[in-house]
Amino acid sequence: MNAPTGRLVESLTLPQPYLLFLGDTTEAGFAKTAFGLADWAPDRCVGEWAAAGCTVTTGLPLLSPAEAKAAGARSLVIGVANQGGVIGESWIAVLVDAMEAGLDIVSGLHARLGAVPALAEAAKRTGRRLIDIRTPPADIPVGTGRKRTGKRLLTVGTDCALGKKYTALALHRAFAARGLDADFRATGQTGIMIAGGGMPMDAVVSDFEAGAAEMLSPDAPDDHWDLIEGQGSLFNPAYAAVSLGLLHGSQPDVFVVCHDPSRSVILGLEDFALPSIEEVIDLTIRLGRRTNPAIRCVGVSLNTSRYSAEAAEALMAAERERLGLPVADPIRGGPGFAALVENCLG
Amino acid sequence: MNAPTGRLVESLTLPQPYLLFLGDTTEAGFAKTAFGLADWAPDRCVGEWAAAGCTVTTGLPLLSPAEAKAAGARSLVIGVANQGGVIGESWIAVLVDAMEAGLDIVSGLHARLGAVPALAEAAKRTGRRLIDIRTPPADIPVGTGRKRTGKRLLTVGTDCALGKKYTALALHRAFAARGLDADFRATGQTGIMIAGGGMPMDAVVSDFEAGAAEMLSPDAPDDHWDLIEGQGSLFNPAYAAVSLGLLHGSQPDVFVVCHDPSRSVILGLEDFALPSIEEVIDLTIRLGRRTNPAIRCVGVSLNTSRYSAEAAEALMAAERERLGLPVADPIRGGPGFAALVENCLG
């Protein structure tokens, strides 16, 4: 295994276990940090808490900050990300309450916790810490496009928030189970919280975006795999710059397209139709071959969480037939997912 | 005309006239800031100065900082940008000398002048100012892809540093000469220095890249043109993220491809072949139609500065024939350039 390159977060020790905070979220897609932690680090989450108006849940017990503190929690993690990554007005009283209950605040939002006067004041008064994990290292180099040793897989998507991190984590678990030498490379706040290291790609200055991705997955032994968490989508009119810099810098040998078949428009931008899986495959190859001419699509990860097991299997079978590629839901696993793993290695 | 949106630079009053500093540059492509100022703001440039090893010149008189001060200069402008935008070791003594001679220092580099201890110390000692113009506004929104009113032209390129700013400026001049309502929208340090406002696109955090481009060219009257300075290239493995965010956020109606026929590889990355003009047209339309389905290529701007007038005309005629589009060198002007302008409007 290679030393992780996420130098920023390497030096952070996040106070655990966590209380997950869901804000006033009404759309599950915006609470992906909370869901990711509940699924991939459940032993480090004592419960969840929310502000008025919240309609989503991770399924963890609902605990007030005081109850969470009594249950052993050491920090409240902001588990939601709205458009723009700002701190919701309605969240502030809850965060102050959590600090008064003895919890530190951990955030992966763009907005800095300490920039909100009420939070800065409460932190000072209670002696609690405000921890922003989204500050990239200061010394990111410009990209070079130089071909690096080792193997790389990138998860890409038809949109944001539909399974790119889950898919990379599930593949990492499957690769590890086969005894393969593999690292999960985190690129977003939740992934970094789960992995304890990584590169917050969407917080990097755009001129250094490809360079940051190069830094995240350095030269490695020939049989080593980096399984890189994708960000955004080449088709998302707000975030495609992040996706392209990550694609060029990651120079993946293989990629998996992540898709939510229940979604027809871009999350939060309803005038934009979701691209087809074929369009994503085609554009990813066209752009990705600039830094890795051998790039290929090894399969599709379908987020079928809104379908019954039967409907999901029918859907995946139809997609396999149509695309001629392995199609699986990593959350459901099974032989479909094993075939996807096989095709990564083949 | 619309109020400029470059709020940062709006509030800056750069001390003029300038002494242009060329560093230790040996490749003209890296001195585009100096060349741009010498060509587009010659009345505000008293001369040029360099560090040991420099082999390029703008043609302005060579003046030491003391001579420039005596000639009326109020600031030394760093007119070069190396890979990564760092402050060269060999430049520091010259910059200190300039401050001692009574000049402020103006920089569009990524690296902050005040972060170099020797410069910070000299500024304090001499009472001179260190002015970084590359700090984006703090309140850039996330992109929305919403279609805005007014018309937009974007210059794109086969690479960096081959004429995208020149082309937008020349088109702005031609549009103004025809009495059209048009703004030059600057996206890089030189353009911002020339225009006195704009958006330093490559210094924007990548999640906000498209939003920054949307902010730069706001809603405008139907017959108003924004002529937007392009950045980087979709084919540059270091900077494509900047180019894609700018393309999506600019939602151009028309674009002009800028190309240097003497270049065969990407500047500074010799393992990467320059793309063909056709590849750039095709990929720009494919990606640009996501936010403007009517996007079209209106012509090619050829940088023929390394060719004789005769060779340049033969080259442009051959490209016109091959591509079926207006092809012109805006520096040479003439009927070829007039045809390009016509096609923008048609």
Side-chain angles (χ1 to χ4, degrees):
Chain A
M1 304 276 279
N2 298 280
T5 26
R7 281 182 262 169
L8 149 78
V9 187
E10 243 180 27
S11 62
L12 265 184
T13 307
L14 297 179
Q16 297 174 330
Y18 305 133
L19 172 63
L20 303 180
F21 178 59
L22 296 165
D24 52 347
T25 304
T26 56
E27 230 176 307
F30 286 124
K32 61 180 177 173
T33 300
F35 285 103
L37 284 168
D39 286 343
W40 294 95
D43 52 318
R44 285 166 273 162
C45 302
V46 302
E48 69 176 34
W49 189 234
C54 177
T55 59
V56 305
T57 175
T58 63
L60 286 170
L62 191 71
L63 297 181
S64 72
E67 290 167 341
K69 175 72 179 173
R74 293 179 59 214
S75 65
L76 177 149
V77 172
I78 297 179
V80 288
N82 50 24
Q83 288 263 327
V86 300
I87 294 160
E89 270 299 320
S90 70
W91 308 358
I92 295 173
V94 180
L95 301 180
V96 170
D97 184 45
M99 285 188 270
E100 285 169 351
L103 302 177
D104 291 334
I105 309 294
V106 176
S107 167
L109 298 172
H110 273 301
R112 295 285 166 272
L113 292 167
V116 178
L119 297 182
E121 186 279 320
K124 200 173 164 189
R125 179 166 45 81
T126 60
R128 301 324 320 170
R129 284 187 295 160
L130 299 174
I131 305 171
D132 292 301
I133 66 157
R134 206 171 204 165
T135 306
D139 55 349
I140 301 173
V142 165
T144 66
R146 181 183 66 79
K147 185 81 178 78
R148 304 188 296 284
T149 55
K151 293 188 181 72
R152 286 167 191 82
L153 177 149
L154 176 67
T155 55
V156 304
T158 50
D159 193 7
C160 303
L162 42 62
K164 291 188 289 290
K165 179 184 65 271
Y166 268 78
T167 302
L169 281 164
L171 288 168
H172 180 244
R173 195 175 272 175
F175 277 44
R178 289 169 178 244
L180 294 165
D181 181 18
D183 281 320
F184 166 66
R185 298 295 189 185
T187 60
Q189 64 272 33
T190 309
I192 293 171
M193 287 178 192
I194 293 169
M199 178 67 75
M201 287 299 294
D202 56 3
V204 171
V205 165
S206 55
D207 226 15
F208 299 93
E209 189 70 358
E214 293 180 1
M215 194 175 170
L216 177 66
S217 71
D219 280 307
D222 286 345
D223 62 349
H224 176 273
W225 281 91
D226 269 342
L227 305 172
I228 305 166
E229 175 193 2
Q231 287 294 327
S233 166
L234 293 168
F235 291 84
N236 187 304
Y239 304 126
V242 179
S243 306
L244 182 54
L246 179 57
L247 175 61
H248 274 172
S250 296
Q251 53 181 233
D253 303 287
V254 301
F255 67 93
V256 173
V257 179
C258 303
H259 177 61
D260 177 349
S262 73
R263 205 180 288 185
S264 61
V265 294
I266 295 286
L267 189 68
L269 298 174
E270 299 192 353
D271 289 342
F272 287 87
L274 211 71
S276 70
I277 292 169
E278 292 93 323
E279 284 177 288
V280 173
I281 292 173
D282 189 60
L283 189 58
T284 302
I285 289 173
R286 175 141 178 208
L287 294 169
R289 69 185 177 203
R290 185 65 171 157
T291 55
N292 190 340
I295 187 172
R296 67 189 176 97
C297 178
V298 290
V300 174
S301 172
L302 230 48
N303 178 339
T304 62
S305 53
R306 301 191 187 194
Y307 297 82
S308 69
E310 218 168 47
E313 194 37 66
L315 223 143
M316 291 190 281
E319 291 295 271
R320 268 176 219 126
E321 176 68 23
R322 188 170 66 90
L323 298 166
L325 281 170
V327 176
D329 183 335
I331 308 299
R332 298 187 189 270
F337 186 60
L340 175 59
V341 173
E342 273 308 317
N343 204 35
C344 295
L345 303 172
Chain B
M1 304 278 276
N2 298 282
T5 27
R7 282 182 262 170
L8 150 77
V9 188
E10 242 179 30
S11 62
L12 265 185
T13 308
L14 297 179
Q16 299 175 328
Y18 304 135
L19 172 64
L20 304 180
F21 178 59
L22 296 164
D24 52 348
T25 304
T26 57
E27 229 176 306
F30 287 124
K32 61 180 177 172
T33 300
F35 285 103
L37 284 168
D39 286 342
W40 294 95
D43 52 319
R44 285 166 273 163
C45 301
V46 301
E48 68 175 34
W49 191 235
C54 177
T55 59
V56 304
T57 174
T58 63
L60 287 169
L62 191 70
L63 298 181
S64 72
E67 291 167 338
K69 175 71 180 173
R74 295 179 57 216
S75 65
L76 177 148
V77 171
I78 297 180
V80 287
N82 50 23
Q83 288 262 328
V86 300
I87 295 160
E89 270 299 320
S90 70
W91 308 358
I92 294 173
V94 180
L95 301 181
V96 169
D97 184 44
M99 285 188 270
E100 286 169 349
L103 301 178
D104 293 333
I105 309 295
V106 176
S107 167
L109 298 172
H110 273 301
R112 296 284 166 272
L113 292 167
V116 178
L119 298 182
E121 186 279 319
K124 200 173 164 189
R125 178 165 47 81
T126 61
R128 299 327 316 172
R129 284 187 293 160
L130 300 174
I131 303 171
D132 292 300
I133 66 157
R134 207 172 203 165
T135 306
D139 55 351
I140 300 173
V142 165
T144 65
R146 181 182 65 80
K147 184 82 176 77
R148 303 187 298 284
T149 55
K151 294 188 179 72
R152 285 167 192 81
L153 177 148
L154 176 68
T155 55
V156 304
T158 50
D159 193 8
C160 302
L162 42 62
K164 290 188 289 290
K165 180 183 64 271
Y166 268 78
T167 302
L169 282 164
L171 287 169
H172 180 244
R173 196 175 271 176
F175 276 44
R178 288 169 179 242
L180 295 165
D181 181 18
D183 280 321
F184 166 66
R185 298 295 189 185
T187 59
Q189 63 271 35
T190 310
I192 292 171
M193 286 177 192
I194 293 169
M199 178 66 76
M201 286 302 293
D202 56 4
V204 171
V205 164
S206 56
D207 225 16
F208 298 93
E209 189 70 359
E214 293 181 1
M215 194 173 168
L216 177 66
S217 72
D219 281 307
D222 285 346
D223 62 348
H224 176 275
W225 280 91
D226 269 342
L227 304 171
I228 305 166
E229 174 193 4
Q231 288 294 327
S233 166
L234 292 168
F235 291 84
N236 187 304
Y239 304 125
V242 179
S243 306
L244 181 54
L246 180 57
L247 175 60
H248 274 170
S250 296
Q251 52 181 233
D253 302 287
V254 302
F255 67 93
V256 173
V257 178
C258 303
H259 176 62
D260 177 348
S262 73
R263 204 180 289 183
S264 61
V265 294
I266 295 286
L267 188 68
L269 297 174
E270 299 192 353
D271 289 342
F272 288 86
L274 211 71
S276 70
I277 292 170
E278 292 92 323
E279 284 177 289
V280 173
I281 293 174
D282 189 59
L283 189 58
T284 302
I285 290 174
R286 175 143 179 205
L287 294 169
R289 70 185 176 202
R290 185 65 171 157
T291 56
N292 190 339
I295 187 171
R296 68 191 176 95
C297 178
V298 290
V300 174
S301 172
L302 231 48
N303 180 340
T304 62
S305 54
R306 301 191 186 192
Y307 297 82
S308 70
E310 218 167 48
E313 193 40 64
L315 223 142
M316 290 190 280
E319 291 295 90
R320 268 175 220 127
E321 175 68 24
R322 188 170 65 90
L323 299 166
L325 281 170
V327 176
D329 184 335
I331 309 298
R332 297 187 191 269
F337 187 60
L340 176 58
V341 173
E342 273 308 316
N343 204 34
C344 295
L345 303 173

